[in-house]
Amino acid sequence: MLLALWGTRVMAGQWPQFRGPTGQGIADGRPVAVVWSEKQNITWKTAIDGRGHASPVVWGNQVWLATAAPDGKVLGAIGLNRATGAIEHTVTVFQPAQVEEIHGDNTYASPTPVIEEGRLYLDFGTYGVACVETASGRVLWRNNDVAIQHGGGPGSSPVMFGETLLIHRDGQDQQYVAALDKRTGRMRWKRPRTAPYRENPITHRAFATPLLYEQGGRTLLISPAADQCHAYDAATGEELWHVRYVGFSNVPCPVAGGDLVYLCTGFFSPELWAVRLGGAGDVTNSHVVWRYKAQVPEIPSPILVDGRLYFVSNKGVLTCLDAATGERIYVHRLGGNYNASPLYAGGRLYFCSREGLTRVLTLDAPPQVLATNKLDGALMASPAAVDGELYLRTETHLYRIEERTP
């Protein structure tokens, strides 16, 4: 099966970017494991040097991860054999002479790469963007002209559209979206954020990953930032509309379905907004359909399945809403603390906690917890799932998990 993404064609059976082929945490139809432990249903477990909260990406017979030295002085990537977990490539991409101090929950390799046939694209925020040849591990190009002051370290993952790599730069000093030519790394267009900011530079920063979404025959780049979310034409960078709110240090990625997009407004009093697509200019007063204020996450992204929105707060409270109306269907306390965004695979929801637990739930209301699975190490990176294989990255290892035939 082929999926139309990024303005190109992508083979199903790959996990090419943050939150998978659609950018919304939805896996292919293959069921993945429900139960696992350090001694059960582990196909392989590989130690990963350095630190990183970037999710794994999967293409063909390879799995790739961004990683960094704890002090940020070495930034690079690791390529593994998908079947065996053996490390095939260890690539140093950047060695910055000076690094920013990062937030205690962040790493210097938190943005998830994008992968396609033969090429891996890595964004290390202020330290640069680079392209690696996946067969050899050779660095094909670097772009060091996108530096900003993050105020906490890099966080936004890139997305790909056609022949461009789209990046966020929402720092304390500059705020813009840019498109880089994926063959050369040169900038094709750059669009500064247009809505006014508050005076304090700290409130200008954001760390969210944008969403590509088809609507009305055009691909939109739904692009959250501090105090505002914009929709751009992904091909040209033309700003189509924006909404304004009060919130900064935004992390959750938007999700969309039908003619609605759902976004979280950021720290300190996050809300979840449903915004009707369309319109022009500032559509805050005309296109915001509903708002929800209780237990909205500041870090994990929401997930949209069968007309329902599911989201887990940083402190482990799961909420399910009717996506059309914003009416609450249920609240369920999972427990634990959450940074990773949820996954939907094989008819089940997967929530990974900082305590190393993954809770597997049904879509019932209220939900049934099918399993609570423990690994050694915190789960900060969002999971990947493809062809019945589940990939989980802890602080020290990458796991391939799948049902084992007795």
Side-chain angles (χ1 to χ4, degrees):
M1 181 176 71
L2 289 172
L3 300 175
L5 297 169
W6 310 334
T8 183
R9 305 290 286 181
V10 178
M11 288 295 296
Q14 324 289 1
W15 194 267
Q17 61 178 353
F18 180 62
R19 305 206 77 196
T22 66
Q24 301 201 56
I26 308 295
D28 57 30
R30 295 272 304 270
V32 301
V34 172
V35 176
W36 64 86
S37 69
E38 289 286 344
K39 297 181 179 180
Q40 182 182 6
N41 287 335
I42 304 297
T43 301
W44 48 256
K45 172 185 177 182
T46 301
I48 303 297
D49 287 340
R51 294 190 68 225
H53 294 163
S55 298
V57 291
V58 182
W59 193 279
N61 63 354
Q62 290 186 321
V63 183
W64 282 86
L65 295 168
T67 190
D71 63 3
K73 294 298 182 67
V74 179
L75 310 173
I78 293 175
L80 299 90
N81 183 286
R82 181 173 172 181
T84 67
I87 293 176
E88 297 179 333
H89 302 288
T90 300
V91 183
T92 296
V93 178
F94 295 109
Q95 293 181 282
Q98 295 182 328
V99 296
E100 287 186 5
E101 184 178 352
I102 59 173
H103 189 279
D105 285 342
N106 203 3
T107 71
Y108 290 97
S110 290
T112 296
V114 174
I115 194 169
E116 64 174 349
E117 184 64 37
R119 291 191 170 204
L120 179 77
Y121 303 90
L122 296 142
D123 186 358
F124 291 100
T126 192
Y127 308 107
V129 185
C131 176
V132 171
E133 184 179 64
T134 55
S136 66
R138 181 168 60 99
V139 179
L140 299 178
W141 55 256
R142 295 178 175 89
N143 182 324
N144 297 99
D145 297 327
V146 287
I148 60 169
Q149 295 176 9
H150 287 294
S156 304
S157 300
V159 296
M160 186 185 296
F161 179 76
E163 295 300 308
T164 59
L165 192 70
L166 306 178
I167 62 170
H168 272 186
R169 288 295 182 270
D170 288 297
Q172 296 181 174
D173 57 338
Q174 301 179 68
Q175 306 84 33
Y176 63 88
V177 177
L180 306 183
D181 187 306
K182 71 178 188 181
R183 297 301 167 189
T184 65
R186 297 190 183 97
M187 191 175 292
R188 285 195 177 184
W189 53 257
K190 177 180 178 180
R191 298 291 179 265
R193 304 292 192 183
T194 57
Y197 283 89
R198 287 172 280 170
E199 291 185 7
N200 188 345
I202 291 177
T203 64
H204 301 175
R205 65 191 186 189
F207 307 93
T209 297
L211 173 70
L212 290 170
Y213 188 68
E214 291 281 344
Q215 195 260 341
R218 175 159 50 183
T219 301
L220 306 180
L221 183 74
I222 309 296
S223 177
D227 290 345
Q228 57 203 277
C229 179
H230 300 257
Y232 302 97
D233 185 319
T236 65
E238 175 192 1
E239 182 182 325
L240 305 174
W241 53 261
H242 70 267
V243 292
R244 299 191 62 192
Y245 41 75
V246 177
F248 71 103
S249 287
N250 314 62
V251 177
C253 182
V255 295
D259 64 350
L260 293 178
V261 61
Y262 307 91
L263 55 99
C264 300
T265 60
F267 287 76
F268 281 101
S269 299
E271 299 181 3
L272 195 152
W273 286 19
V275 180
R276 191 170 307 281
L277 298 170
D282 186 344
V283 299
T284 310
N285 295 326
S286 58
H287 284 62
V288 177
V289 177
W290 54 257
R291 308 177 188 192
Y292 188 85
K293 299 182 179 181
Q295 302 294 339
V296 174
E298 295 169 323
I299 299 177
S301 306
I303 194 163
L304 176 64
V305 180
D306 295 340
R308 292 180 176 180
L309 271 173
Y310 302 85
F311 52 91
V312 63
S313 70
N314 295 28
K315 298 297 185 181
V317 177
L318 171 64
T319 303
C320 174
L321 304 181
D322 183 296
T325 66
E327 293 297 317
R328 189 175 69 194
I329 297 173
Y330 69 76
V331 172
H332 178 86
R333 185 169 294 278
L334 292 177
N337 299 278
Y338 291 80
N339 279 44
S341 296
L343 169 75
Y344 175 73
R348 306 178 186 102
L349 292 167
Y350 292 72
F351 295 89
C352 301
S353 79
R354 295 176 58 146
E355 292 76 24
L357 298 173
T358 301
R359 292 174 171 85
V360 185
L361 278 68
T362 66
L363 295 179
D364 302 324
Q368 177 185 355
V369 180
L370 299 175
T372 300
N373 306 304
K374 181 73 168 71
L375 294 178
D376 296 338
L379 290 166
M380 306 288 280
S382 298
V386 60
D387 290 342
E389 306 155 12
L390 178 64
Y391 294 89
L392 295 181
R393 179 184 193 168
T394 68
E395 291 284 82
T396 57
H397 289 77
L398 179 66
Y399 294 75
R400 173 174 161 173
I401 298 167
E402 57 195 319
E403 297 282 359
R404 308 294 289 168
T405 303

